[in-house]
Amino acid sequence: MADWVFSIVDSLGAAGVGLLIFLENVIPPIPSEVILPLAGFRARVGAIDAQWVWPAATAGSVAGALVLYGLGAWLGYERLHELAGKRWFVLSSRKDLERGHALFARHGGAIVLFARCVPLIRSVVSVPAGLARMPLWRFTVLTAVGSGVWNAVFLGLGWLLGENWEQVEGYLAPVSTVMLVLVVLGLFWLVVRRLRGRNRRGGAHRAR
């Protein structure tokens, strides 16, 4: 993966970093843990303009987050709530969706801000923000702040480590793997819980 990241960064410079970070937000399997340290290293050796790397990366983060926010806003809470009542919709029940919506209504700002520093979660958190119709200006500011901190840390690590920038991915890879496993297990648990609840309601209905 590093080879094609190298080619894009060296060909497009800071704009390439912004493009890759945009894609990383929209397509989570592209890891910023590779892109940002590499960009920091290339900025250190003068291959790309150091003063534009962080702004480009942060702009890419915000742009990608806005795409997913728009997806959530387009889907809408009411539409998703209606889908959750369908028998074939196994990802969530209406009750779970209502609880999640209430939680986001109370603590959405903190969730968006701190989730930007959590692998995988930093991408998908934009969707519930859109569903909750968090004010766009607030979502944008929180995303810029959280993503800006994340980007600065990993660009800085790449700068400091120099040619050993790949060590950053080595340290973070287990964390990303654990997060992916937890997300998959969480989705599996939601599906199982939904199916069990449906079976219980079906049994109670037949008993009556």
Side-chain angles (χ1 to χ4, degrees), residues 123-191:
S123 296
V124 298
V125 73
S126 302
V127 176
L131 285 171
R133 297 297 177 96
M134 175 182 286
L136 185 58
W137 69 266
R138 187 175 183 224
F139 172 79
T140 303
V141 169
L142 291 170
T143 297
V145 172
S147 299
V149 171
W150 175 270
N151 294 341
V153 168
F154 282 87
L155 287 168
L157 287 173
W159 182 285
L160 292 173
L161 290 173
E163 294 182 356
N164 298 315
W165 63 271
E166 288 180 300
Q167 291 180 6
V168 177
E169 184 194 12
Y171 295 142
L172 264 289
V175 177
S176 298
T177 301
V178 169
M179 292 303 301
L180 178 60
V181 170
L182 290 176
V183 169
V184 172
L185 289 176
L187 289 173
F188 178 75
W189 177 79
L190 286 173
V191 171

Side-chain angles (χ1 to χ4, degrees), residues 103-132:
L103 177 66
F104 207 91
R106 290 195 302 270
H107 307 293
I111 293 171
V112 168
L113 179 63
F114 292 108
R116 296 299 168 194
C117 297
V118 181
L120 297 177
I121 305 300
R122 64 176 174 269
S123 296
V124 298
V125 73
S126 302
V127 176
L131 285 171

Side-chain angles (χ1 to χ4, degrees), residues 57-94:
T58 303
S61 298
V62 172
L66 288 173
V67 169
L68 296 181
Y69 174 94
L71 175 63
W74 171 80
L75 180 60
Y77 175 75
E78 291 77 13
R79 185 182 299 177
L80 187 59
H81 192 268
E82 182 179 348
L83 288 175
K86 306 292 185 182
R87 291 186 58 82
W88 53 265
F89 193 86
V90 297
L91 291 180
S92 174
S93 67
R94 282 182 169 174

